[in-house]
Amino acid sequence: MPYTSDLTHDYIPLTPVPKSQLDSLIKLSKPVVANWIKQSGFQAGEGEFCLISNEHGDLSEVLIGIPETGERRWALAGLPSKLPAKRYQLHCNWSEAEQTQALIGWGLGCYQFDHFIDKDKRSALIHLPQSMKTTVMAFYESLCTVRDLINMPANHMMPEHLSQELRTLATEYHARFSEVVGDELLQQNYPTIHAVGRASDHAPRLLSLHWGDPEHKKLILVGKGVCFDTGGLDLKPSSSMRQMKKDMGGAAHVLGLAKLIMSLKLPVSLEVLIPAVDNAVSGDAFRPGDVIVTRSGISVEIDNTDAEGRLVLCDALTQACEDEPDLILDFATLTGAARVALGTEVPVLFSNHDELARDIHQQSIKSEELIWQLPLYKPYFGGLKSTVADMMNATSGGYGGAITAALYLNEFVDDDIEWGHIDLMAFNIRDRPGRPIGGEAMGLFSVFDYLQSRYTE
């Protein structure tokens, strides 16, 4: 745990210093301290810090270089791994909201996926004021949950393990959990989820969680839970398969977002739907050219078994619409095309309601965690036309893949229900303060802030 609320200890001040204030700080410091700051080469650049000792040689203060303006979330995030394992306290005139973000960033800067490493290491702790504890811990725990789920190797995170994670979450927050498993999916009319997962020894399933006051507006979160994606019979090359443990990143996001919503008691009637499968290869694997009649009654010709995410999502989205929600949001590591369009760090947003997309995008700018809209450009739907079914699950061309995937999903969402589809990487490929290489929660600050503004006004 990177935080402490124990007030019986002395804390070392962490003092943020923008470049514009460095000279005045030096002038106000004792001569020996001023000389040390100059001699150390501290310029108050972003990410820089300076250790100050007292007359006994003990650490007495840490100066932190910060930008003049902008986000505070990552201001402290690079420090935990570099500072001595002592107790610290943020010392500044920032607003409580700014301090809250900085403390969340400190916690995320302490994150390591060390489940399979025997480690016994003391770490730096920061004081967490009681007034900020609920919010800081909710975000810290929720985002670490997302990271842990994505980072977990596939042999420890198959559909049954994902089921247990959601069951445990339901128990923690007194929510209702249920699942439809294996051939029950056919009996209860979830044919595409069954088709994608049937080849695996790990039975496919549809997981669900219900929480909140039924009198509140209903919010449904849908997450792609492909626990490993070989590509099916359209087998991926080994280089593309290497990180496919992360293909349940959408499920991890909705599980983490649900935890956040329940922790902070957002006034909604929450439903979570996670189609959880292992897209494996065996004699019973679904094939290119197969035709599956989906839960909605739309028949789909399989053009590519590696376009499996939209197949498991379409039955879940149909179920979501049957439950008549106020809003549906789905999260999915759906297409490489979205990464080509916006890179790995900016999630792509599609929506059947432009106002919803605009509001989420604007909130993402305020939350300093960008989400960017791409269009549901209907003329591209022609690429999904089939001669033997109502539509295909993928196009044969190599262009606009994120758009055609979203257009496919849009066919399973009622026009009068607001729906947002977020296509994301869920994985950092470069190391930044508080954001190590590996599984990552992307867009959750922005989406939660949007939901909070929507449902608490």
Side-chain angles (χ1 to χ4, degrees), residues 191-257:
T192 55
I193 300 172
H194 182 273
V196 174
R198 74 189 186 206
S200 175
D201 291 336
H202 303 273
R205 56 196 71 204
L206 177 64
L207 314 175
S208 65
L209 175 148
H210 294 79
W211 172 89
D213 186 343
E215 297 300 315
H216 289 152
K217 290 184 177 180
K218 175 166 279 192
L219 165 67
I220 299 184
L221 305 176
V222 181
K224 174 187 170 184
V226 179
C227 294
F228 194 81
D229 183 18
T230 64
L233 292 177
D234 287 307
L235 198 67
K236 292 178 182 288
S238 59
S239 59
S240 299
M241 204 187 300
R242 176 62 179 86
Q243 294 296 346
M244 281 300 101
K245 66 178 183 179
K246 81 175 186 67
D247 214 20
M248 42 65 68
H253 275 71
V254 301
L255 198 151
L257 182 55

Side-chain angles (χ1 to χ4, degrees), residues 1-313:
M1 178 62 63
Y3 305 107
T4 176
S5 297
D6 186 354
L7 292 174
T8 64
H9 291 268
D10 291 330
Y11 289 90
I12 298 166
L14 297 176
T15 306
V17 183
K19 282 188 177 182
S20 63
Q21 296 178 19
L22 180 59
D23 287 344
S24 61
L25 181 144
I26 291 174
K27 289 177 183 177
L28 293 172
S29 300
K30 295 178 180 179
V32 66
V33 173
N35 186 57
W36 172 248
I37 295 173
K38 293 175 183 178
Q39 293 299 319
S40 69
F42 179 66
Q43 297 293 317
E46 186 175 357
E48 291 184 356
F49 66 93
C50 181
L51 305 180
I52 307 295
S53 62
N54 59 22
E55 61 271 20
H56 303 294
D58 297 322
L59 182 60
S60 62
E61 186 176 13
V62 180
L63 307 181
I64 312 160
I66 61 167
E68 298 291 335
T69 59
E71 69 178 25
R72 303 303 187 199
R73 186 175 301 142
W74 308 114
L76 310 181
L79 296 175
S81 63
K82 298 174 183 177
L83 293 181
K86 297 183 180 295
R87 295 169 182 259
Y88 301 89
Q89 186 172 33
L90 187 57
H91 182 71
C92 62
N93 61 356
W94 291 350
S95 68
E96 183 167 302
E98 290 176 317
Q99 291 185 57
T100 296
Q101 289 302 307
L103 290 170
I104 293 169
W106 170 281
L108 296 176
C110 293
Y111 176 84
Q112 295 181 55
F113 184 73
D114 54 9
H115 288 245
F116 302 99
I117 301 173
D118 186 13
K119 300 186 74 171
D120 184 15
K121 180 183 176 182
R122 291 185 63 218
S123 59
L125 301 177
I126 197 166
H127 179 251
L128 178 56
Q130 196 64 35
S131 63
M132 307 176 201
K133 186 173 182 178
T134 298
T135 300
V136 170
M137 292 305 299
F139 276 94
Y140 168 71
E141 291 179 353
S142 296
L143 271 69
C144 286
T145 294
V146 176
R147 291 177 174 184
D148 281 348
L149 291 172
I150 297 168
N151 284 328
M152 192 64 68
N155 61 323
H156 296 271
M157 190 49 64
M158 279 286 124
E160 62 270 23
H161 301 107
L162 200 52
S163 169
Q164 186 56 53
E165 292 288 339
L166 195 63
R167 185 189 299 271
T168 299
L169 187 69
T171 300
E172 181 180 356
Y173 291 97
H174 308 288
R176 178 164 54 89
F177 169 84
S178 62
E179 61 181 338
V180 183
V181 183
D183 288 345
E184 292 177 359
L185 290 164
L186 293 178
Q187 296 163 15
Q188 297 192 36
N189 193 25
Y190 300 102
T192 55
I193 300 172
H194 182 273
V196 174
R198 74 189 186 206
S200 175
D201 291 336
H202 303 273
R205 56 196 71 204
L206 177 64
L207 314 175
S208 65
L209 175 148
H210 294 79
W211 172 89
D213 186 343
E215 297 300 315
H216 289 152
K217 290 184 177 180
K218 175 166 279 192
L219 165 67
I220 299 184
L221 305 176
V222 181
K224 174 187 170 184
V226 179
C227 294
F228 194 81
D229 183 18
T230 64
L233 292 177
D234 287 307
L235 198 67
K236 292 178 182 288
S238 59
S239 59
S240 299
M241 204 187 300
R242 176 62 179 86
Q243 294 296 346
M244 281 300 101
K245 66 178 183 179
K246 81 175 186 67
D247 214 20
M248 42 65 68
H253 275 71
V254 301
L255 198 151
L257 182 55
K259 181 178 177 69
L260 192 55
I261 288 168
M262 294 187 291
S263 295
L264 297 178
K265 298 180 174 59
L266 204 64
V268 295
S269 175
L270 175 66
E271 181 177 350
V272 174
L273 293 171
I274 297 176
V277 301
D278 170 31
N279 188 20
V281 177
S282 78
D284 197 29
F286 75 119
R287 298 161 291 267
D290 284 358
V291 174
I292 304 171
V293 180
T294 65
R295 181 178 183 83
S296 70
I298 297 172
S299 60
V300 175
E301 181 184 7
I302 305 304
D303 177 74
N304 191 325
T305 62
D306 195 21
E308 84 300 327
R310 63 201 72 180
L311 292 172
V312 300
L313 286 172

